[in-house]
Amino acid sequence: KHGWAVGEHGYIYATGDGGVTWTKQAGHFDLSEETGNPVGEAFLFGVAAVDPKTAWVVGIDGYVAKTEDGGTTWRRVVTPAPRTQLFSVMADISGKVLIAGNGILLVSGNGGRTWQAPEFNPPIAHGWIYGLTRRGASGFVAVGGAQSIYVADHDQTSIRWRSQAGEQLY
């Protein structure tokens, strides 16, 4: 019944009743009186709920934040991600977190305190990863541009690339 939705200018909305009602938790948009330009917070592209109190968000310029109090406060999380778009985040109760975007995927096994970049073969340096989902108990699938599908098994340190049809190309 608990969930979050995110969007432009840092807007975060939460529900505790399965989506019947939504409450704004964060976000700001205005126009500068001096320049007339838009003023707001980071654009957010992805959200992952772990439990009713814990969720992660990712967005533009490598932005990553986390709440551990149901969204009353959102704390920015420092990662080695460059200032690029992060489109997807996946997290679970064990503390595993994956963030992905423009040519990048980072994995944390300790709730975001430290991060690793798994090895991709071939590399994703010029590719986009748009979505992440679990695969079995500890693996994941990442989908991206040019119909690419990355598949990782248990340890997330060895990732192989497969075409959309699933045949192994490398």
Side-chain angles (χ1 to χ4, degrees), residues 37-75:
N37 293 330
V39 178
E41 296 176 31
F43 282 33
L44 302 176
F45 300 124
V47 60
V50 176
D51 58 41
K53 297 280 187 193
T54 309
W56 291 79
V57 296
V58 295
I60 201 164
D61 293 333
Y63 185 85
V64 178
K66 177 183 182 183
T67 184
E68 295 179 296
D69 58 12
T72 302
T73 59
W74 289 87
R75 176 183 54 88

PDB file of all heavy atoms in Angstrom, residues 37-75:
ATOM      1  N   ASN A  37      13.685  33.032 -15.445  1.00  0.00           N
ATOM      2  CA  ASN A  37      14.038  31.641 -15.697  1.00  0.00           C
ATOM      3  C   ASN A  37      13.430  30.727 -14.635  1.00  0.00           C
ATOM      4  O   ASN A  37      13.246  31.134 -13.484  1.00  0.00           O
ATOM      5  CB  ASN A  37      15.560  31.460 -15.694  1.00  0.00           C
ATOM      6  CG  ASN A  37      16.216  32.152 -16.856  1.00  0.00           C
ATOM      7  OD1 ASN A  37      15.622  32.297 -17.924  1.00  0.00           O
ATOM      8  ND2 ASN A  37      17.448  32.593 -16.658  1.00  0.00           N
ATOM      9  N   PRO A  38      13.175  29.471 -15.006  1.00  0.00           N
ATOM     10  CA  PRO A  38      12.671  28.513 -14.021  1.00  0.00           C
ATOM     11  C   PRO A  38      13.706  28.260 -12.927  1.00  0.00           C
ATOM     12  O   PRO A  38      14.905  28.206 -13.191  1.00  0.00           O
ATOM     13  CB  PRO A  38      12.438  27.240 -14.826  1.00  0.00           C
ATOM     14  CG  PRO A  38      12.441  27.654 -16.252  1.00  0.00           C
ATOM     15  CD  PRO A  38      13.253  28.903 -16.343  1.00  0.00           C
ATOM     16  N   VAL A  39      13.235  28.107 -11.708  1.00  0.00           N
ATOM     17  CA  VAL A  39      14.074  27.787 -10.557  1.00  0.00           C
ATOM     18  C   VAL A  39      13.420  26.606  -9.846  1.00  0.00           C
ATOM     19  O   VAL A  39      12.236  26.651  -9.526  1.00  0.00           O
ATOM     20  CB  VAL A  39      14.168  28.981  -9.584  1.00  0.00           C
ATOM     21  CG1 VAL A  39      14.997  28.618  -8.373  1.00  0.00           C
ATOM     22  CG2 VAL A  39      14.722  30.202 -10.283  1.00  0.00           C
ATOM     23  N   GLY A  40      14.180  25.543  -9.641  1.00  0.00           N
ATOM     24  CA  GLY A  40      13.630  24.375  -8.970  1.00  0.00           C
ATOM     25  C   GLY A  40      14.719  23.425  -8.555  1.00  0.00           C
ATOM     26  O   GLY A  40      15.900  23.701  -8.718  1.00  0.00           O
ATOM     27  N   GLU A  41      14.293  22.306  -8.026  1.00  0.00           N
ATOM     28  CA  GLU A  41      15.231  21.292  -7.571  1.00  0.00           C
ATOM     29  C   GLU A  41      15.557  20.330  -8.709  1.00  0.00           C
ATOM     30  O   GLU A  41      15.053  20.479  -9.820  1.00  0.00           O
ATOM     31  CB  GLU A  41      14.623  20.571  -6.373  1.00  0.00           C
ATOM     32  CG  GLU A  41      14.423  21.526  -5.189  1.00  0.00           C
ATOM     33  CD  GLU A  41      13.737  20.886  -4.008  1.00  0.00           C
ATOM     34  OE1 GLU A  41      13.910  19.668  -3.804  1.00  0.00           O
ATOM     35  OE2 GLU A  41      13.036  21.600  -3.290  1.00  0.00           O
ATOM     36  N   ALA A  42      16.380  19.342  -8.423  1.00  0.00           N
ATOM     37  CA  ALA A  42      16.833  18.379  -9.432  1.00  0.00           C
ATOM     38  C   ALA A  42      15.658  17.617 -10.035  1.00  0.00           C
ATOM     39  O   ALA A  42      14.703  17.275  -9.341  1.00  0.00           O
ATOM     40  CB  ALA A  42      17.809  17.393  -8.795  1.00  0.00           C
ATOM     41  N   PHE A  43      15.736  17.353 -11.338  1.00  0.00           N
ATOM     42  CA  PHE A  43      14.748  16.503 -11.992  1.00  0.00           C
ATOM     43  C   PHE A  43      14.987  15.070 -11.520  1.00  0.00           C
ATOM     44  O   PHE A  43      16.121  14.595 -11.546  1.00  0.00           O
ATOM     45  CB  PHE A  43      14.900  16.556 -13.509  1.00  0.00           C
ATOM     46  CG  PHE A  43      14.328  17.798 -14.140  1.00  0.00           C
ATOM     47  CD1 PHE A  43      14.332  19.011 -13.509  1.00  0.00           C
ATOM     48  CD2 PHE A  43      13.773  17.717 -15.399  1.00  0.00           C
ATOM     49  CE1 PHE A  43      13.808  20.145 -14.098  1.00  0.00           C
ATOM     50  CE2 PHE A  43      13.246  18.837 -16.018  1.00  0.00           C
ATOM     51  CZ  PHE A  43      13.264  20.060 -15.359  1.00  0.00           C
ATOM     52  N   LEU A  44      13.939  14.384 -11.124  1.00  0.00           N
ATOM     53  CA  LEU A  44      14.036  13.002 -10.655  1.00  0.00           C
ATOM     54  C   LEU A  44      13.421  12.076 -11.687  1.00  0.00           C
ATOM     55  O   LEU A  44      12.360  12.353 -12.233  1.00  0.00           O
ATOM     56  CB  LEU A  44      13.331  12.848  -9.307  1.00  0.00           C
ATOM     57  CG  LEU A  44      13.870  13.748  -8.190  1.00  0.00           C
ATOM     58  CD1 LEU A  44      13.038  13.589  -6.935  1.00  0.00           C
ATOM     59  CD2 LEU A  44      15.335  13.461  -7.922  1.00  0.00           C
ATOM     60  N   PHE A  45      14.109  10.945 -11.938  1.00  0.00           N
ATOM     61  CA  PHE A  45      13.658  10.014 -12.962  1.00  0.00           C
ATOM     62  C   PHE A  45      13.302   8.638 -12.422  1.00  0.00           C
ATOM     63  O   PHE A  45      12.618   7.876 -13.098  1.00  0.00           O
ATOM     64  CB  PHE A  45      14.733   9.839 -14.034  1.00  0.00           C
ATOM     65  CG  PHE A  45      15.106  11.108 -14.732  1.00  0.00           C
ATOM     66  CD1 PHE A  45      16.426  11.526 -14.761  1.00  0.00           C
ATOM     67  CD2 PHE A  45      14.157  11.894 -15.350  1.00  0.00           C
ATOM     68  CE1 PHE A  45      16.789  12.694 -15.415  1.00  0.00           C
ATOM     69  CE2 PHE A  45      14.504  13.068 -16.006  1.00  0.00           C
ATOM     70  CZ  PHE A  45      15.823  13.462 -16.036  1.00  0.00           C
ATOM     71  N   GLY A  46      13.800   8.270 -11.248  1.00  0.00           N
ATOM     72  CA  GLY A  46      13.548   6.928 -10.732  1.00  0.00           C
ATOM     73  C   GLY A  46      13.375   6.908  -9.241  1.00  0.00           C
ATOM     74  O   GLY A  46      13.924   7.738  -8.517  1.00  0.00           O
ATOM     75  N   VAL A  47      12.597   5.944  -8.759  1.00  0.00           N
ATOM     76  CA  VAL A  47      12.356   5.765  -7.335  1.00  0.00           C
ATOM     77  C   VAL A  47      12.242   4.274  -7.035  1.00  0.00           C
ATOM     78  O   VAL A  47      11.750   3.508  -7.865  1.00  0.00           O
ATOM     79  CB  VAL A  47      11.075   6.516  -6.871  1.00  0.00           C
ATOM     80  CG1 VAL A  47       9.844   6.011  -7.601  1.00  0.00           C
ATOM     81  CG2 VAL A  47      10.889   6.436  -5.358  1.00  0.00           C
ATOM     82  N   ALA A  48      12.745   3.880  -5.858  1.00  0.00           N
ATOM     83  CA  ALA A  48      12.621   2.491  -5.408  1.00  0.00           C
ATOM     84  C   ALA A  48      12.260   2.494  -3.938  1.00  0.00           C
ATOM     85  O   ALA A  48      12.966   3.081  -3.114  1.00  0.00           O
ATOM     86  CB  ALA A  48      13.931   1.736  -5.615  1.00  0.00           C
ATOM     87  N   ALA A  49      11.143   1.862  -3.608  1.00  0.00           N
ATOM     88  CA  ALA A  49      10.717   1.732  -2.213  1.00  0.00           C
ATOM     89  C   ALA A  49      11.243   0.420  -1.658  1.00  0.00           C
ATOM     90  O   ALA A  49      11.132  -0.622  -2.299  1.00  0.00           O
ATOM     91  CB  ALA A  49       9.193   1.763  -2.127  1.00  0.00           C
ATOM     92  N   VAL A  50      11.822   0.483  -0.472  1.00  0.00           N
ATOM     93  CA  VAL A  50      12.324  -0.711   0.196  1.00  0.00           C
ATOM     94  C   VAL A  50      11.279  -1.222   1.175  1.00  0.00           C
ATOM     95  O   VAL A  50      11.001  -2.411   1.257  1.00  0.00           O
ATOM     96  CB  VAL A  50      13.650  -0.410   0.927  1.00  0.00           C
ATOM     97  CG1 VAL A  50      14.130  -1.620   1.704  1.00  0.00           C
ATOM     98  CG2 VAL A  50      14.704   0.053  -0.079  1.00  0.00           C
ATOM     99  N   ASP A  51      10.708  -0.305   1.931  1.00  0.00           N
ATOM    100  CA  ASP A  51       9.669  -0.599   2.907  1.00  0.00           C
ATOM    101  C   ASP A  51       8.903   0.703   3.144  1.00  0.00           C
ATOM    102  O   ASP A  51       9.223   1.711   2.510  1.00  0.00           O
ATOM    103  CB  ASP A  51      10.269  -1.187   4.194  1.00  0.00           C
ATOM    104  CG  ASP A  51      11.297  -0.281   4.865  1.00  0.00           C
ATOM    105  OD1 ASP A  51      11.082   0.953   4.927  1.00  0.00           O
ATOM    106  OD2 ASP A  51      12.321  -0.803   5.333  1.00  0.00           O
ATOM    107  N   PRO A  52       7.915   0.744   4.042  1.00  0.00           N
ATOM    108  CA  PRO A  52       7.138   1.977   4.223  1.00  0.00           C
ATOM    109  C   PRO A  52       7.953   3.183   4.715  1.00  0.00           C
ATOM    110  O   PRO A  52       7.505   4.313   4.592  1.00  0.00           O
ATOM    111  CB  PRO A  52       6.072   1.591   5.251  1.00  0.00           C
ATOM    112  CG  PRO A  52       5.909   0.127   5.079  1.00  0.00           C
ATOM    113  CD  PRO A  52       7.281  -0.389   4.740  1.00  0.00           C
ATOM    114  N   LYS A  53       9.146   2.970   5.225  1.00  0.00           N
ATOM    115  CA  LYS A  53       9.975   4.058   5.738  1.00  0.00           C
ATOM    116  C   LYS A  53      11.148   4.412   4.839  1.00  0.00           C
ATOM    117  O   LYS A  53      11.675   5.515   4.899  1.00  0.00           O
ATOM    118  CB  LYS A  53      10.527   3.704   7.129  1.00  0.00           C
ATOM    119  CG  LYS A  53       9.479   3.517   8.182  1.00  0.00           C
ATOM    120  CD  LYS A  53       9.040   4.845   8.688  1.00  0.00           C
ATOM    121  CE  LYS A  53       8.104   4.675   9.877  1.00  0.00           C
ATOM    122  NZ  LYS A  53       7.440   5.886  10.203  1.00  0.00           N
ATOM    123  N   THR A  54      11.592   3.474   4.000  1.00  0.00           N
ATOM    124  CA  THR A  54      12.841   3.632   3.254  1.00  0.00           C
ATOM    125  C   THR A  54      12.592   3.641   1.749  1.00  0.00           C
ATOM    126  O   THR A  54      11.931   2.743   1.229  1.00  0.00           O
ATOM    127  CB  THR A  54      13.820   2.493   3.586  1.00  0.00           C
ATOM    128  OG1 THR A  54      13.938   2.383   5.006  1.00  0.00           O
ATOM    129  CG2 THR A  54      15.183   2.734   2.972  1.00  0.00           C
ATOM    130  N   ALA A  55      13.143   4.655   1.071  1.00  0.00           N
ATOM    131  CA  ALA A  55      13.056   4.737  -0.392  1.00  0.00           C
ATOM    132  C   ALA A  55      14.260   5.504  -0.913  1.00  0.00           C
ATOM    133  O   ALA A  55      14.882   6.289  -0.190  1.00  0.00           O
ATOM    134  CB  ALA A  55      11.760   5.412  -0.820  1.00  0.00           C
ATOM    135  N   TRP A  56      14.571   5.269  -2.177  1.00  0.00           N
ATOM    136  CA  TRP A  56      15.670   5.910  -2.885  1.00  0.00           C
ATOM    137  C   TRP A  56      15.130   6.622  -4.109  1.00  0.00           C
ATOM    138  O   TRP A  56      14.180   6.140  -4.739  1.00  0.00           O
ATOM    139  CB  TRP A  56      16.676   4.858  -3.349  1.00  0.00           C
ATOM    140  CG  TRP A  56      17.445   4.202  -2.264  1.00  0.00           C
ATOM    141  CD1 TRP A  56      17.013   3.204  -1.441  1.00  0.00           C
ATOM    142  CD2 TRP A  56      18.780   4.481  -1.879  1.00  0.00           C
ATOM    143  NE1 TRP A  56      18.009   2.848  -0.565  1.00  0.00           N
ATOM    144  CE2 TRP A  56      19.104   3.626  -0.816  1.00  0.00           C
ATOM    145  CE3 TRP A  56      19.743   5.378  -2.340  1.00  0.00           C
ATOM    146  CZ2 TRP A  56      20.348   3.626  -0.213  1.00  0.00           C
ATOM    147  CZ3 TRP A  56      20.989   5.378  -1.733  1.00  0.00           C
ATOM    148  CH2 TRP A  56      21.281   4.515  -0.676  1.00  0.00           C
ATOM    149  N   VAL A  57      15.744   7.763  -4.472  1.00  0.00           N
ATOM    150  CA  VAL A  57      15.415   8.460  -5.713  1.00  0.00           C
ATOM    151  C   VAL A  57      16.706   8.789  -6.451  1.00  0.00           C
ATOM    152  O   VAL A  57      17.754   8.987  -5.838  1.00  0.00           O
ATOM    153  CB  VAL A  57      14.603   9.760  -5.466  1.00  0.00           C
ATOM    154  CG1 VAL A  57      13.254   9.440  -4.850  1.00  0.00           C
ATOM    155  CG2 VAL A  57      15.369  10.758  -4.619  1.00  0.00           C
ATOM    156  N   VAL A  58      16.618   8.839  -7.801  1.00  0.00           N
ATOM    157  CA  VAL A  58      17.755   9.219  -8.639  1.00  0.00           C
ATOM    158  C   VAL A  58      17.275  10.189  -9.701  1.00  0.00           C
ATOM    159  O   VAL A  58      16.091  10.219 -10.046  1.00  0.00           O
ATOM    160  CB  VAL A  58      18.425   7.997  -9.314  1.00  0.00           C
ATOM    161  CG1 VAL A  58      19.048   7.081  -8.281  1.00  0.00           C
ATOM    162  CG2 VAL A  58      17.449   7.243 -10.196  1.00  0.00           C
ATOM    163  N   GLY A  59      18.234  10.970 -10.230  1.00  0.00           N
ATOM    164  CA  GLY A  59      17.840  11.939 -11.241  1.00  0.00           C
ATOM    165  C   GLY A  59      19.005  12.539 -11.996  1.00  0.00           C
ATOM    166  O   GLY A  59      20.080  11.961 -12.111  1.00  0.00           O
ATOM    167  N   ILE A  60      18.779  13.755 -12.450  1.00  0.00           N
ATOM    168  CA  ILE A  60      19.708  14.471 -13.310  1.00  0.00           C
ATOM    169  C   ILE A  60      20.990  14.819 -12.539  1.00  0.00           C
ATOM    170  O   ILE A  60      20.981  14.937 -11.315  1.00  0.00           O
ATOM    171  CB  ILE A  60      19.027  15.734 -13.868  1.00  0.00           C
ATOM    172  CG1 ILE A  60      19.728  16.226 -15.115  1.00  0.00           C
ATOM    173  CG2 ILE A  60      18.884  16.799 -12.808  1.00  0.00           C
ATOM    174  CD1 ILE A  60      18.896  17.202 -15.923  1.00  0.00           C
ATOM    175  N   ASP A  61      22.078  14.959 -13.282  1.00  0.00           N
ATOM    176  CA  ASP A  61      23.377  15.355 -12.719  1.00  0.00           C
ATOM    177  C   ASP A  61      23.880  14.406 -11.635  1.00  0.00           C
ATOM    178  O   ASP A  61      24.551  14.820 -10.696  1.00  0.00           O
ATOM    179  CB  ASP A  61      23.328  16.785 -12.180  1.00  0.00           C
ATOM    180  CG  ASP A  61      23.156  17.821 -13.271  1.00  0.00           C
ATOM    181  OD1 ASP A  61      23.569  17.545 -14.415  1.00  0.00           O
ATOM    182  OD2 ASP A  61      22.604  18.891 -12.990  1.00  0.00           O
ATOM    183  N   GLY A  62      23.555  13.113 -11.747  1.00  0.00           N
ATOM    184  CA  GLY A  62      24.033  12.129 -10.780  1.00  0.00           C
ATOM    185  C   GLY A  62      23.377  12.230  -9.416  1.00  0.00           C
ATOM    186  O   GLY A  62      23.913  11.728  -8.427  1.00  0.00           O
ATOM    187  N   TYR A  63      22.207  12.827  -9.344  1.00  0.00           N
ATOM    188  CA  TYR A  63      21.529  13.054  -8.064  1.00  0.00           C
ATOM    189  C   TYR A  63      20.994  11.739  -7.491  1.00  0.00           C
ATOM    190  O   TYR A  63      20.298  10.985  -8.167  1.00  0.00           O
ATOM    191  CB  TYR A  63      20.369  14.033  -8.243  1.00  0.00           C
ATOM    192  CG  TYR A  63      19.703  14.401  -6.953  1.00  0.00           C
ATOM    193  CD1 TYR A  63      20.203  15.433  -6.170  1.00  0.00           C
ATOM    194  CD2 TYR A  63      18.586  13.718  -6.506  1.00  0.00           C
ATOM    195  CE1 TYR A  63      19.596  15.777  -4.968  1.00  0.00           C
ATOM    196  CE2 TYR A  63      17.981  14.056  -5.307  1.00  0.00           C
ATOM    197  CZ  TYR A  63      18.482  15.081  -4.547  1.00  0.00           C
ATOM    198  OH  TYR A  63      17.889  15.404  -3.357  1.00  0.00           O
ATOM    199  N   VAL A  64      21.321  11.468  -6.217  1.00  0.00           N
ATOM    200  CA  VAL A  64      20.828  10.302  -5.488  1.00  0.00           C
ATOM    201  C   VAL A  64      20.438  10.777  -4.092  1.00  0.00           C
ATOM    202  O   VAL A  64      21.192  11.509  -3.440  1.00  0.00           O
ATOM    203  CB  VAL A  64      21.909   9.195  -5.370  1.00  0.00           C
ATOM    204  CG1 VAL A  64      21.382   8.011  -4.576  1.00  0.00           C
ATOM    205  CG2 VAL A  64      22.401   8.761  -6.740  1.00  0.00           C
ATOM    206  N   ALA A  65      19.259  10.366  -3.616  1.00  0.00           N
ATOM    207  CA  ALA A  65      18.822  10.707  -2.263  1.00  0.00           C
ATOM    208  C   ALA A  65      18.063   9.526  -1.675  1.00  0.00           C
ATOM    209  O   ALA A  65      17.578   8.651  -2.390  1.00  0.00           O
ATOM    210  CB  ALA A  65      17.947  11.960  -2.263  1.00  0.00           C
ATOM    211  N   LYS A  66      17.953   9.544  -0.340  1.00  0.00           N
ATOM    212  CA  LYS A  66      17.334   8.442   0.384  1.00  0.00           C
ATOM    213  C   LYS A  66      16.531   8.991   1.560  1.00  0.00           C
ATOM    214  O   LYS A  66      16.936   9.963   2.193  1.00  0.00           O
ATOM    215  CB  LYS A  66      18.441   7.520   0.901  1.00  0.00           C
ATOM    216  CG  LYS A  66      17.983   6.356   1.750  1.00  0.00           C
ATOM    217  CD  LYS A  66      19.186   5.574   2.249  1.00  0.00           C
ATOM    218  CE  LYS A  66      18.779   4.371   3.062  1.00  0.00           C
ATOM    219  NZ  LYS A  66      19.941   3.659   3.602  1.00  0.00           N
ATOM    220  N   THR A  67      15.404   8.355   1.838  1.00  0.00           N
ATOM    221  CA  THR A  67      14.666   8.626   3.063  1.00  0.00           C
ATOM    222  C   THR A  67      14.648   7.360   3.904  1.00  0.00           C
ATOM    223  O   THR A  67      14.586   6.253   3.364  1.00  0.00           O
ATOM    224  CB  THR A  67      13.213   9.092   2.810  1.00  0.00           C
ATOM    225  OG1 THR A  67      12.611   9.411   4.063  1.00  0.00           O
ATOM    226  CG2 THR A  67      12.384   8.049   2.098  1.00  0.00           C
ATOM    227  N   GLU A  68      14.734   7.546   5.209  1.00  0.00           N
ATOM    228  CA  GLU A  68      14.613   6.423   6.142  1.00  0.00           C
ATOM    229  C   GLU A  68      13.524   6.695   7.169  1.00  0.00           C
ATOM    230  O   GLU A  68      13.378   5.947   8.125  1.00  0.00           O
ATOM    231  CB  GLU A  68      15.952   6.169   6.839  1.00  0.00           C
ATOM    232  CG  GLU A  68      17.025   5.719   5.864  1.00  0.00           C
ATOM    233  CD  GLU A  68      18.373   5.491   6.517  1.00  0.00           C
ATOM    234  OE1 GLU A  68      18.960   6.459   7.038  1.00  0.00           O
ATOM    235  OE2 GLU A  68      18.826   4.332   6.505  1.00  0.00           O
ATOM    236  N   ASP A  69      12.763   7.776   6.940  1.00  0.00           N
ATOM    237  CA  ASP A  69      11.693   8.134   7.874  1.00  0.00           C
ATOM    238  C   ASP A  69      10.353   8.339   7.157  1.00  0.00           C
ATOM    239  O   ASP A  69       9.544   9.168   7.537  1.00  0.00           O
ATOM    240  CB  ASP A  69      12.071   9.375   8.675  1.00  0.00           C
ATOM    241  CG  ASP A  69      12.366  10.589   7.813  1.00  0.00           C
ATOM    242  OD1 ASP A  69      12.060  10.560   6.606  1.00  0.00           O
ATOM    243  OD2 ASP A  69      12.908  11.577   8.349  1.00  0.00           O
ATOM    244  N   GLY A  70      10.145   7.579   6.098  1.00  0.00           N
ATOM    245  CA  GLY A  70       8.889   7.655   5.367  1.00  0.00           C
ATOM    246  C   GLY A  70       8.747   8.876   4.485  1.00  0.00           C
ATOM    247  O   GLY A  70       7.668   9.159   3.979  1.00  0.00           O
ATOM    248  N   GLY A  71       9.826   9.641   4.305  1.00  0.00           N
ATOM    249  CA  GLY A  71       9.799  10.800   3.429  1.00  0.00           C
ATOM    250  C   GLY A  71       9.719  12.132   4.140  1.00  0.00           C
ATOM    251  O   GLY A  71       9.668  13.177   3.493  1.00  0.00           O
ATOM    252  N   THR A  72       9.741  12.118   5.460  1.00  0.00           N
ATOM    253  CA  THR A  72       9.768  13.385   6.194  1.00  0.00           C
ATOM    254  C   THR A  72      11.021  14.162   5.820  1.00  0.00           C
ATOM    255  O   THR A  72      10.971  15.373   5.610  1.00  0.00           O
ATOM    256  CB  THR A  72       9.715  13.146   7.717  1.00  0.00           C
ATOM    257  OG1 THR A  72       8.508  12.412   8.011  1.00  0.00           O
ATOM    258  CG2 THR A  72       9.720  14.444   8.475  1.00  0.00           C
ATOM    259  N   THR A  73      12.145  13.445   5.714  1.00  0.00           N
ATOM    260  CA  THR A  73      13.388  14.056   5.253  1.00  0.00           C
ATOM    261  C   THR A  73      13.998  13.185   4.157  1.00  0.00           C
ATOM    262  O   THR A  73      13.865  11.960   4.187  1.00  0.00           O
ATOM    263  CB  THR A  73      14.415  14.211   6.392  1.00  0.00           C
ATOM    264  OG1 THR A  73      14.695  12.916   6.952  1.00  0.00           O
ATOM    265  CG2 THR A  73      13.902  15.137   7.483  1.00  0.00           C
ATOM    266  N   TRP A  74      14.640  13.846   3.207  1.00  0.00           N
ATOM    267  CA  TRP A  74      15.372  13.179   2.139  1.00  0.00           C
ATOM    268  C   TRP A  74      16.815  13.639   2.226  1.00  0.00           C
ATOM    269  O   TRP A  74      17.087  14.827   2.218  1.00  0.00           O
ATOM    270  CB  TRP A  74      14.782  13.517   0.772  1.00  0.00           C
ATOM    271  CG  TRP A  74      13.452  12.860   0.562  1.00  0.00           C
ATOM    272  CD1 TRP A  74      12.234  13.346   0.934  1.00  0.00           C
ATOM    273  CD2 TRP A  74      13.228  11.594  -0.028  1.00  0.00           C
ATOM    274  NE1 TRP A  74      11.255  12.450   0.601  1.00  0.00           N
ATOM    275  CE2 TRP A  74      11.833  11.366  -0.001  1.00  0.00           C
ATOM    276  CE3 TRP A  74      14.054  10.624  -0.594  1.00  0.00           C
ATOM    277  CZ2 TRP A  74      11.258  10.205  -0.504  1.00  0.00           C
ATOM    278  CZ3 TRP A  74      13.477   9.469  -1.096  1.00  0.00           C
ATOM    279  CH2 TRP A  74      12.094   9.268  -1.052  1.00  0.00           C
ATOM    280  N   ARG A  75      17.741  12.681   2.358  1.00  0.00           N
ATOM    281  CA  ARG A  75      19.165  12.982   2.506  1.00  0.00           C
ATOM    282  C   ARG A  75      19.889  12.646   1.210  1.00  0.00           C
ATOM    283  O   ARG A  75      19.747  11.563   0.663  1.00  0.00           O
ATOM    284  CB  ARG A  75      19.727  12.156   3.661  1.00  0.00           C
ATOM    285  CG  ARG A  75      21.217  12.285   3.875  1.00  0.00           C
ATOM    286  CD  ARG A  75      21.718  11.382   4.993  1.00  0.00           C
ATOM    287  NE  ARG A  75      21.353   9.988   4.837  1.00  0.00           N
ATOM    288  CZ  ARG A  75      22.056   9.082   4.165  1.00  0.00           C
ATOM    289  NH1 ARG A  75      23.181   9.426   3.551  1.00  0.00           N
ATOM    290  NH2 ARG A  75      21.657   7.832   4.085  1.00  0.00           N
TER     291      ARG A  75
END
